[in-house]
Amino acid sequence: MDISVTRDTFRLAQVFTISRGSRSTAEVLTVRINADGVTGWGECVPYARYDETLDSVSAQIEGLPEQFDRAALRDLLPAGAARNAVDCALWDLEAKRAGKRVWELAGLPAPGPELTAYTLSLDTPDAMQAQAAANAHRPLLKIKLGTPDDMPRLKAVRAGAPEARIIVDANEGWSAETYADLAPHLQRLGVALVEQPLPAGEDEALRAMARPVPVCADESCHDRASLPRLAGKYDVVNIKLDKTGGLTEALALKAAALAEGYGIMVGCMVGSSLAMAPAVLVAQGAMVTDLDGPLLLAEDRAQPLQYDDAGVHPPAAGLWG
């Protein structure tokens, strides 16, 4: 096999802000694996929160041997962005060589569209209300919070989109005391889910706290090895391919989490349709789908995913899988 990795930049439609900072572009790595005249490809988004950079992830990929399969890849790379792009490229390569779709190879039913959340960037209350009003037609909005002064923002979004379901993502930005104060108000304002309210290293406090709104583990859940640490603290797990290390582990995590009684959320980093395509398979039947990355972009891949009132559709063969 011949493996190459390139850096690609996609402009965002507008500046996107979370509690950790702002960005105006999506910086991604694209992996291509060539074998017997066929090319499979995948995409990942290195994430500084997990000590990943474009350089470090590229080096991981470039250090792989010439021959391996998806089973061997698990031992060659840890869960994370590098393994994700390579794993998804291997799935795409296998599907193209077999003349089948990835879901057929994985023994999954043919996928359909899934309603997806649309994320509102962290901003002033007035600006977030305007964002909410502009997207009030969407059935599910996700709002980025995680500051000491979030109640005015939450109220503003609810005023801007009174009928929409709302998910709150704190991105580890609250203390236990702040979250305890906010939780009753989240319930009062009709929030359907709160993601990672406390830092992953400090989430033990959740075990002793009431959860009037379901709590989802994001930074606290990477792959199946994370599950034993979540019991009694979380109700839902957020599966992201850049955390699990690809589609292979994402499907295994989904099955294991369901078996343990967790709800499933399928999320994403800010990337192109190529990054979202494998995740659409994982999102089938999920409690929450949050695969809006391409909706935040000003430009995308040549054969982008289709989004409409039914949600995000499975990828065309020309894109992936």
Side-chain angles (χ1 to χ4, degrees):
M1 298 187 301
D2 176 58
I3 304 174
S4 65
V5 55
T6 58
R7 303 183 184 192
D8 292 304
T9 300
F10 296 90
R11 291 180 297 107
L12 301 187
Q14 61 185 32
V15 174
F16 185 74
T17 301
I18 66 173
S19 59
R20 297 192 186 100
S22 301
R23 66 175 68 181
S24 58
T25 60
E27 308 287 339
V28 311
L29 293 176
T30 305
V31 169
R32 292 174 176 83
I33 301 179
N34 299 293
D36 301 325
V38 180
T39 301
W41 67 339
E43 177 184 315
C44 68
V45 182
Y47 198 38
R49 169 63 179 82
Y50 306 130
D51 298 320
E52 295 176 335
T53 66
L54 292 167
D55 287 339
S56 70
V57 173
S58 294
Q60 285 181 291
I61 297 167
E62 291 166 350
L64 288 168
E66 290 186 2
Q67 294 296 328
F68 58 89
D69 58 16
R70 284 189 291 106
L73 179 63
R74 181 178 175 84
D75 296 322
L76 293 170
L77 290 175
R83 198 172 83 192
N84 173 32
V86 177
D87 180 78
C88 291
L90 287 172
W91 275 108
D92 189 42
L93 178 67
E94 184 178 346
K96 288 174 177 174
R97 294 171 84 174
K100 296 183 178 181
R101 300 308 305 269
V102 162
W103 52 85
E104 296 178 271
L105 299 179
L108 300 172
E114 289 286 332
L115 283 174
T116 181
Y118 179 81
T119 305
L120 305 182
S121 179
L122 181 65
D123 209 324
T124 65
D126 285 347
M128 292 186 75
Q129 181 168 345
Q131 287 184 65
N135 291 281
H137 62 285
R138 302 183 188 273
L140 180 60
L141 297 178
K142 176 173 169 175
I143 59 175
K144 293 288 190 177
L145 298 178
T147 76
D149 191 28
D150 280 334
M151 272 306 299
R153 292 182 171 91
L154 180 57
K155 289 179 178 178
V157 169
R158 176 48 81 200
E163 303 300 324
R165 290 176 65 216
I166 292 177
I167 297 170
V168 165
D169 185 1
N171 279 118
E172 304 181 279
W174 293 332
S175 66
E177 293 76 16
T178 298
Y179 176 55
D181 289 340
L182 285 173
H185 299 290
L186 298 178
Q187 183 182 36
R188 175 175 59 84
L189 291 168
V191 172
L193 184 76
V194 57
E195 279 187 77
Q196 200 68 42
L198 308 185
E202 302 172 18
D203 65 356
E204 190 63 26
L206 290 172
R207 200 181 301 278
M209 299 174 69
R211 298 196 296 273
V213 174
V215 180
C216 179
D218 185 357
E219 287 84 352
S220 289
C221 182
H222 289 245
D223 55 12
R224 283 173 290 174
S226 305
L227 289 177
R229 298 188 295 271
L230 306 182
K233 296 185 287 187
Y234 295 97
D235 309 291
V236 181
V237 297
N238 189 347
I239 301 174
K240 293 178 179 175
L241 273 66
D242 277 314
K243 293 189 301 177
T244 66
L247 177 63
T248 302
E249 177 62 21
L251 292 172
L253 172 58
K254 179 181 180 180
L258 287 171
E260 294 190 20
Y262 291 100
I264 301 298
M265 176 177 182
V266 177
C268 65
M269 307 303 186
V270 182
S272 80
S273 284
L274 178 59
M276 307 301 125
V280 175
L281 306 189
V282 187
Q284 297 299 298
M287 174 182 170
V288 175
T289 296
D290 178 25
L291 298 178
D292 63 344
L295 297 177
L296 306 176
L297 302 180
E299 54 192 353
D300 199 353
R301 300 286 181 177
Q303 291 183 274
L305 290 174
Q306 177 188 349
Y307 290 82
D308 58 24
D309 289 345
V312 53
H313 289 253
L319 173 64
W320 181 87

